[in-house]
Amino acid sequence: MKNSYSNIFSFNKKIQKKVINNLNNGAVVGLPTETVYGLGGNAYSKKAVQKIFRYKGRPASNPLIVHYCDSNKAIKDVKINENFKKLYKRFCPGPITFILKRKNNSKIRSIVCARLNTVAVRFPKHRIIRSILCQIDYPLAMPSANKSSSVSPVKAKDVAEEFKKKLKIIINGGVCKIGIESTVIDLTSAPKILRPGVISKKSIEKILGLKMKNNKKKKITSPGMMKKHYSPGIPIIINQKKYDGKSAFIYFGSKHKNKKNFYTLSKNANLNQAASNLYKIFRKIKKKGYKKIQIGKIPNKETGIAINDRIKRASKS
Ligand code: TXA
Ligand code: MG
């Protein structure tokens, strides 16, 4: 089937050149990663970064993640440490973001980091974003390609629907395998997780050989920790047991198989599969015109911790 969006392109050498030309000129482009689609622009260009904030309607106080091909490029901008080296070796490229101290001579525009003295850095794994990052001599500031506080896109079409014709280029890299955003870990002092993801606290602790405290600070340390976030725009109520007879009901497992209005995150009760289906199902339910979403209990372990984090934030109105 031919896609009906003239700004969605398949990836090849010719379009890669076009993407790089656009990025060199300060444009922002919709790009696939293994977690969710991003809205990428040159992190060294004020014009490009301002465009990202404007398109998303993102508050200037919410910093962006800076994406690199590898750590050799990142060390020009951030101070790395032993914990970083261990985690990088084990998990990168992959779905993890590190908060590190910014170097004084870093070329990253200060608006990228909301004027903090720290930078969020990530090394994505998806072959398309990597082939672009490894060809350019600046990193990409790249938030998820959705309007501020709504659901992250997991398909090129989701990005097109979100920004319409505003974006000249969206690269189709298929459906994002992971489907929720990267784990964010602060490494500027004792390591702590600011946003849970598929790379779990447990697996990080194993590599670092330490136990991390739960991030219970009242103060918002990562704006993705803002209460309302990842919202599909209709009320969501979580930890539900009883179906109300009219809402869409999201659950985990196969208990309500083939029942109308019931949507399973994973019929095999696999938490990674559930994460990859979460935003897809949010969008589907919204499109079908339901007025409300009920969500059953999701096991709060491994990737379930990240899923519960997202649905809890989505449920705040
Ligand atoms: O998987 C991902 O991380 C995706 C893909 C596109 O790479 N990106 C993404 O970006 O989720 P965004 O902008 O939607 O979320 C970035 C998160 C926000 O919660 C932001 O507050 C936090 O990272 N962050 C960025 N810089 C930070 C910093 N210096 N200190 C603390 N948190 C920071
Ligand atoms: Mg986001």
Side-chain angles (χ1 to χ4, degrees):
M1 193 175 72
K2 198 175 177 305
N3 82 61
S4 50
Y5 296 95
S6 56
N7 52 351
I8 296 182
F9 297 89
S10 302
F11 195 64
N12 55 40
K13 282 275 170 251
K14 199 170 147 213
I15 193 76
Q16 179 180 27
K17 225 174 178 179
K18 193 167 164 183
V19 168
I20 293 176
N21 272 337
N22 272 262
L23 292 169
N24 288 344
N25 290 326
V28 299
V29 178
L31 295 167
T33 85
E34 70 281 17
T35 55
V36 299
Y37 274 74
L39 197 57
N42 179 353
Y44 295 161
S45 154
K46 193 170 174 182
K47 179 178 132 191
V49 177
Q50 280 173 334
K51 222 175 265 174
I52 295 176
F53 277 94
R54 204 169 58 237
Y55 284 11
K56 277 187 66 92
R58 181 160 174 135
S61 57
N62 191 355
L64 308 177
I65 299 176
V66 182
H67 298 66
Y68 294 87
C69 168
D70 58 42
S71 63
N72 289 332
K73 289 194 171 183
I75 53 176
K76 293 183 188 146
D77 293 317
V78 291
K79 298 177 191 164
I80 62 166
N81 54 38
E82 286 308 310
N83 285 334
F84 169 81
K85 284 185 200 163
K86 287 182 199 163
L87 295 174
Y88 181 83
K89 192 165 170 226
R90 170 65 185 81
F91 296 118
C92 294
I96 183 162
T97 296
F98 310 98
I99 309 297
L100 294 167
K101 285 191 180 135
R102 181 196 166 99
K103 276 191 175 168
N104 285 337
N105 59 353
S106 161
K107 284 201 269 181
I108 295 170
R109 305 306 303 216
S110 59
I111 51 164
V112 171
C113 324
R115 306 196 183 281
L116 300 167
N117 58 4
T118 56
V119 188
V121 300
R122 172 158 127 75
F123 309 88
K125 190 172 185 167
H126 194 291
R127 74 174 174 90
I128 293 179
I129 186 68
R130 266 188 73 71
S131 76
I132 292 167
L133 287 170
C134 298
Q135 291 278 320
I136 53 183
D137 51 12
Y138 47 84
L140 293 180
M142 192 161 67
S144 50
N146 53 279
K147 300 265 172 68
S148 192
S149 92
S150 72
V151 177
S152 297
V154 294
K155 292 178 194 166
K157 198 170 142 231
D158 298 341
V159 183
E161 284 174 359
E162 194 86 14
F163 294 102
K164 304 284 179 322
K165 292 273 176 275
K166 224 171 193 170
L167 293 181
K168 281 211 309 226
I169 306 178
I170 299 165
I171 298 298
N172 188 356
V175 181
C176 300
K177 280 206 180 104
I178 291 177
I180 57 166
E181 307 80 358
S182 61
T183 304
V184 178
I185 181 165
D186 185 350
L187 296 177
T188 57
S189 52
K192 57 178 177 294
I193 297 209
L194 303 183
R195 179 175 73 185
V198 297
I199 295 184
S200 67
K201 182 167 172 243
K202 234 185 184 167
S203 63
I204 291 174
E205 287 178 336
K206 204 168 144 197
I207 300 299
L208 296 182
L210 50 78
K211 281 261 175 246
M212 282 186 278
K213 283 204 189 107
N214 282 329
N215 188 33
K216 277 194 180 138
K217 270 196 201 161
K218 293 227 172 58
K219 199 178 133 223
I220 292 173
T221 48
S222 189
M225 307 285 281
M226 280 186 300
K227 281 205 173 126
K228 184 170 161 54
H229 216 93
Y230 315 113
S231 163
I234 51 176
I236 292 185
I237 34 172
I238 56 176
N239 294 324
Q240 295 291 288
K241 282 198 184 118
K242 205 168 174 295
Y243 181 49
D244 68 9
K246 52 180 190 288
S247 301
F249 196 103
I250 297 178
Y251 72 105
F252 182 69
S254 56
K255 193 172 156 198
H256 305 287
K257 214 166 110 189
N258 302 330
K259 272 194 219 159
K260 195 169 171 243
N261 303 333
F262 282 73
Y263 297 83
T264 182
L265 289 173
S266 165
K267 63 179 189 314
N268 314 317
N270 174 309
L271 287 165
N272 284 339
Q273 186 183 47
S276 75
N277 281 326
L278 181 67
Y279 294 154
K280 250 187 266 173
I281 290 177
F282 274 177
R283 281 180 194 271
K284 189 165 158 186
I285 287 173
K286 175 88 190 289
K287 273 189 193 160
K288 288 200 170 201
Y290 288 99
K291 297 284 180 292
K292 199 163 107 187
I293 302 177
Q294 292 183 279
I295 307 185
K297 230 179 156 46
I298 314 292
N300 203 36
K301 58 173 189 185
E302 298 148 21
T303 300
I305 296 173
I307 297 172
N308 280 311
D309 169 77
R310 303 306 191 276
I311 62 178
K312 197 166 160 197
R313 285 175 212 291
S315 73
K316 305 277 181 207
S317 54

